[in-house]
């Protein structure tokens, strides 16, 4: 387990100022270089990371305690999402090009001028890296990929949990961008909390992405919105990801569900924002017994000592709740604490939702016995915003009311699958009402994530030669265009 | 001129609580009723407002001092935008439906589950009405139209400048919605600053729209983001809307530009967020003489005493600036202060941009002499965020650098037209960097405004019969769907 403050150096004020100045200086050229050039550059970064796997993965394993196989597949995902954003750039729909020709008879009572609008880069983006995905949500992770793809310079605030990996990844990304003739300053990594706090308040930063704890995310959100010029702050924070098992599902496949549950909540030592933190099971259905029977093995070590201590403290608070008992516990390993399944009742949760719905980051989950679907609906309605919520049911289960409530509280609603393992796709949504995220209208995973770092600009009555190529009648870039609303 | 505090009653705490509870209670049914039903309801509201013109316009004229003709055309625009959002609802692209079928060979290194995503209503929306558009940005204005269209209940905080019109409009809207069988509580109007401040902090409100001053907007923005559960706050605030005249344009058509300038900045007694507050003219080009020659008549009275006093104070501050002189002034009318054209130089503005770029809400504008395009580009770069920026030029003017800077500072860039008169269209963008708006990624005018009040939800692995109709393979609603990225 690496100590949390293992980084060798922090970025001082003068260096941060140079980084931000060069990011601001790179914005115009990176945006103007065009989407095709950015697609090639992103693919160059993807290739370089892939080629660097042999060097990157061992450093990641040493700094994060995560298993090599997991890190290899995380790197594959990281490389894939860079390539997927290259595809988004070539597709061009993300620009949302709209052209309205002048119309003297426009029925609003006044002639319509020629108006053309598309989405442009928002400006330099600050990305706060996460600890638990040293590749996919860190230096070269999703926020960096979407912000770069959108045409923005990126400044990553490295996570102190993997400083050497951050530096190594940053060097590989920067070198690949240099080879792709991206402007100097388009990508940098800075180190230390002070640098992050200063950068999020700097006028040259125009948006920020964050993945981490509610406490840290809210503090940075407050700074971003307290600026003289507030900026969008996209924080992906905590989630408890409740999963409900119906009586029919429990009767049909208690053992399968119990095993899947244990596999999902202990995956990565429970250090996922989508870990199923609560499993609602019908009282007397045999689910509790099936979970007991499935048993708990050990898990690998946690990311660092601070996170392990946080886990032990939060899990301890939950275990010491008067209405909670221990259902199962797994062995501690030399590298970290063992997993635990706790148990309570829906009545207890209704009486004290704040305590029993708080996130425990690490290998713990709470099994909650409920009596009937009405009670399940009632307790689901007490949840704050969640990244995911799920149901294990049979096709004929009358779960419509439960689904409706889960849709209100969560960004992704899942049927008969576990929430861990967030696929990077066109239709993915990784977000949700606060405190799952600070920006309920946006996603941090999937192709729609690019929209967070774009702003619309409209041009009125410009002659063709002064219009951006994206908006010209000739459509030299061959983009999808909405013309006169069609 | 109506006194500002002319309203007969304010909404007390108990009444506000009833309004918010009924808005929250209406959310599910209004959303579930479907887009077609909402389109019919919006058209019913449009028809009712149109039918009520004879009653509405005289009240608006009495409370706002705005001329009858202007109010009639504003009501036409208001009715039009309700109908345009009905069209958006029937079109269905606003839902951004995306369907990814399961794919065992998805190249991210793990099978892709079946994922389906679309945009759902965000929840009850609070709309702060503006004073200067008693129809188009007030009770039944753009924010109400887009929020209702998106499927959200709306609570309007009435502007105290037109309380009787607010009540009358609210009654007409509510009655039309009732006739359309919309759920009770889907639309309400509340009165008084205290009610607005309480409502923006109430957990039942899930987003807010605002049109008004920077001071008021920022205070409410801070409250919305300081909540335990922060919400999106879409504030459209102040703008100075700089317009640059090139030397070639001045030489070709000084008189036409001068007359257009005076017409635009005095329109509505200068009480538009898109009023051209600054006109940059080439020194020695004859533009100053042309403006003097065009002359200034009087303007109609201002909206209320508070706004007139604010205008006199802000215009006085600008006139008393040591580097500013009076170029032209028009006569006061019995109803309000006369218009004024002030003058300064680009050097003076570069030396004191804060003072010389501050918005004066009312019939004043500042003419700034500049020496060459390089200086114009330099001074343009000193502006904070603007709703619009414009150029009057000839087709061969080398304005590329100036255009690039204006694109950075403004949401809409205009060529050879004046910024007043914001057309409601598909490609319109009424927004811009702070302080023009608090949310640079969104617009308050045009069909894209509906996106502010929607949130994405993804469904993973759901059987067809449990999916919303929007996401079913059969596509019973006939919606545009992105399927597997295509």
């Amino acid at each position: 387990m690496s100590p949390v403050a293992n980084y060798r150096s922090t970025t001082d004020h003068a260096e941060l100022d140079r980084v931000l100045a060069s990011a601001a200086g790179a914005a115009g050229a990176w945006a103007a270089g065009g989407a095709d050039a950015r697609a090639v550059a992103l693919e160059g970064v993807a290739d370089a990371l892939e080629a660097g796997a042999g060097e990157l993965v061992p450093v990641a394993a040493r700094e994060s305690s995560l298993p090599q196989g997991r890190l290899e597949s995380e790197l594959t995902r990281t490389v894939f999402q860079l390539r997927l954003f290259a595809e988004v750039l070539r597709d061009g729909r993300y620009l949302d090009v709209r052209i309205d020709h002048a119309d003297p008879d426009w029925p609003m009572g006044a002639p319509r001028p020629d108006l053309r609008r598309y989405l442009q880069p928002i400006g330099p983006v600050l990305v706060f890296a996460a600890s638990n995905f040293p590749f996919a949500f860190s230096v070269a992770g999703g926020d960096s990929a979407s912000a770069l793809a959108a045409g923005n310079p990126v400044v990553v605030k490295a996570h102190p949990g993997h400083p050497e990996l951050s530096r190594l990844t940053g060097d590989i990304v920067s070198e690949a961008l240099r080879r792709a003739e991206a402007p100097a300053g388009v990508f940098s990594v800075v180190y230390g909390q002070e640098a992050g706090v200063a950068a999020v308040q700097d006028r040259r930063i125009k948006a920020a992405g964050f993945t981490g704890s509610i406490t840290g995310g809210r503090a940075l959100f407050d700074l971003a919105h307290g600026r003289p010029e507030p900026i969008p702050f996209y924080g992906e924070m905590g989630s408890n990801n409740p999963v409900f098992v119906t009586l029919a599902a429990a009767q049909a496949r208690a053992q399968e569900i119990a095993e899947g549950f244990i596999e999902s909540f202990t995956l990565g030592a429970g250090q996922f924002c989508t870990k199923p933190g609560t499993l609602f099971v019908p009282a007397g259905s045999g689910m509790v017994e099936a979970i007991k029977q499935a048993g708990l093995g050990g898990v690998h070590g946690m990311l660092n000592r601070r996170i392990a201590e946080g886990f032990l403290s939060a899990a301890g608070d939950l275990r010491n709740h008067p209405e909670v008992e221990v259902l199962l516990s797994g062995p501690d390993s030399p590298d970290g604490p063992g997993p635990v399944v706790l148990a309570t009742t829906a009545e207890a949760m209704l009486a004290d939702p704040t305590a029993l719905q708080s996130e425990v980051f690490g290998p713990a989950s709470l099994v909650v016995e409920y009596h009937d679907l009405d009670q399940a609906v009632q307790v689901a309605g007490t949840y704050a915003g969640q990244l995911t919520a799920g149901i294990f049911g049979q096709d004929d289960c009358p779960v419509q009311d439960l689904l409706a409530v889960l849709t209100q509280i969560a960004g992704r609603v899942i049927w008969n699958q576990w929430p861990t393992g967030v696929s990077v796709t066109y239709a993915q949504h990784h977000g949700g009402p606060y405190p799952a995220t600070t920006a309920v209208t946006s996603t941090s995973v999937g192709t729609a994530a690019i929209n967070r770092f774009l702003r619309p600009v409209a041009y009125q009555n410009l002659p063709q030669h002064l219009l951006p190529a994206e908006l010209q009648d000739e459509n030299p870039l061959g983009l999808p265009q909405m013309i006169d609303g069609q």
Side-chain angles (χ1 to χ4, degrees), chain A:
Chain A
M1 195 185 309
S2 64
V4 69
N6 187 26
Y7 44 101
R8 280 100 190 233
S9 69
T10 55
T11 303
D12 66 18
H13 179 76
E15 174 63 13
L16 178 66
D17 189 61
R18 277 191 294 274
V19 163
L20 295 172
S22 75
W30 183 238
D36 278 353
R38 293 203 299 277
V40 170
L42 290 181
E43 288 167 341
V45 171
D47 294 346
L49 289 170
E50 208 164 44
E55 195 182 3
L56 290 164
V57 170
V59 176
R62 176 164 48 76
E63 290 193 320
S64 73
S65 301
L66 295 171
Q68 179 172 335
R70 141 74 197 272
L71 288 165
E72 282 166 355
S73 64
E74 188 187 326
L75 184 56
T76 300
R77 171 211 173 109
T78 306
V79 164
F80 169 73
Q81 64 197 8
L82 286 157
R83 291 182 178 140
L84 188 63
F85 279 113
E87 182 192 305
V88 168
L89 291 177
R90 294 201 174 94
D91 173 88
R93 275 173 296 184
Y94 82 101
L95 291 168
D96 195 14
V97 172
R98 301 174 181 214
I99 296 176
D100 292 337
H101 293 103
D103 181 352
D105 301 318
W106 190 232
M108 81 172 258
R112 183 175 80 186
D114 184 282
L115 276 166
R116 293 156 192 254
R117 170 199 124 112
Y118 76 122
L119 301 180
Q120 298 198 10
I122 198 168
V125 173
L126 178 65
V127 172
F128 288 88
S131 62
N132 60 338
F133 282 91
F135 294 119
F137 288 85
S138 188
V139 170
D143 284 356
S144 296
S146 59
L148 284 170
N152 305 295
V154 166
V155 177
V156 178
K157 192 289 194 168
H159 195 280
H162 46 270
E164 191 179 331
L165 180 67
S166 299
R167 203 171 296 272
L168 191 55
T169 309
D171 288 348
I172 290 174
V173 173
S174 294
E175 173 60 17
L177 289 169
R178 196 193 58 72
R179 279 200 306 271
E181 297 179 7
V186 79
F187 187 81
S188 308
V189 184
V190 299
Y191 300 84
Q193 183 174 326
E194 209 176 314
V197 164
V200 79
Q201 297 176 88
D202 191 280
R203 63 180 171 75
R204 290 163 291 194
I205 292 295
K206 298 302 184 189
F210 170 90
T211 309
S213 70
I214 295 177
T215 310
R218 181 63 192 249
L220 292 167
F221 170 90
D222 289 344
L223 291 176
H225 287 94
R227 293 164 42 134
E229 176 207 5
I231 54 169
F233 182 89
Y234 303 104
E236 192 254 273
M237 308 195 297
S239 190
N240 214 20
N241 308 297
V243 176
F244 293 79
V245 180
T246 68
L247 183 58
Q251 288 167 341
R253 47 200 167 100
Q255 189 190 340
E256 175 197 328
I257 294 170
E259 288 168 0
F261 164 63
I262 286 168
E263 185 186 341
S264 180
F265 98 78
T266 59
L267 197 69
Q271 300 166 117
F272 290 125
C273 52
T274 54
K275 179 200 77 177
T278 315
L279 185 74
F280 290 88
V281 302
S285 65
M287 272 304 307
V288 167
E289 293 71 20
I291 291 166
K292 277 188 172 164
Q293 201 173 355
L296 264 182
V299 295
H300 60 69
M302 297 189 75
L303 291 158
N304 58 54
R305 189 163 297 138
R306 191 174 59 77
I307 288 177
E309 286 165 0
F311 166 67
L312 289 169
S313 165
D317 288 350
L318 195 54
R319 185 166 31 207
N320 292 332
H321 191 282
E323 299 295 330
V324 170
E325 61 181 52
V326 176
L327 204 61
L328 269 184
S329 59
D332 291 349
S333 79
D335 285 340
V340 61
V341 178
L342 305 170
T344 190
T345 63
E347 286 79 6
M349 186 175 274
L350 288 167
D352 192 5
T354 305
L356 296 179
Q357 292 172 359
S358 68
E359 187 188 11
V360 178
F361 192 76
S365 192
L366 180 65
V367 172
V368 182
E369 289 190 294
Y370 72 89
H371 285 295
D372 54 32
L373 274 176
D374 285 348
Q375 192 182 43
V377 169
Q378 188 191 0
V379 71
T382 65
Y383 270 87
Q386 301 292 321
L387 290 168
T388 77
I391 302 177
F392 277 77
Q394 304 300 96
D395 268 5
D396 56 354
C397 288
V399 292
Q400 281 79 359
D401 289 351
L402 183 57
L403 262 181
V405 174
L406 298 185
T407 299
Q408 288 307 308
I409 65 165
R412 178 164 55 111
V413 178
I414 308 170
W415 178 257
N416 282 340
Q417 291 181 342
W418 297 98
T420 42
V422 183
S423 196
V424 180
T425 83
Y426 312 101
Q428 183 59 282
H429 179 60
H430 193 58
Y434 190 91
T437 66
T438 58
V440 67
T441 57
S442 75
T443 181
S444 68
V445 177
T447 58
I450 196 170
N451 286 89
R452 297 178 302 160
F453 300 121
L454 294 163
R455 70 180 185 98
V457 177
Y459 296 89
Q460 182 175 324
N461 196 42
L462 261 66
Q464 291 291 314
H465 74 281
L466 289 178
L467 280 169
E470 289 84 350
L471 299 180
Q472 293 172 7
D473 285 335
E474 270 192 13
N475 195 10
L477 304 177
L479 293 169
Q481 298 176 327
M482 179 199 281
I483 297 180
D484 297 329
Q486 303 305 315

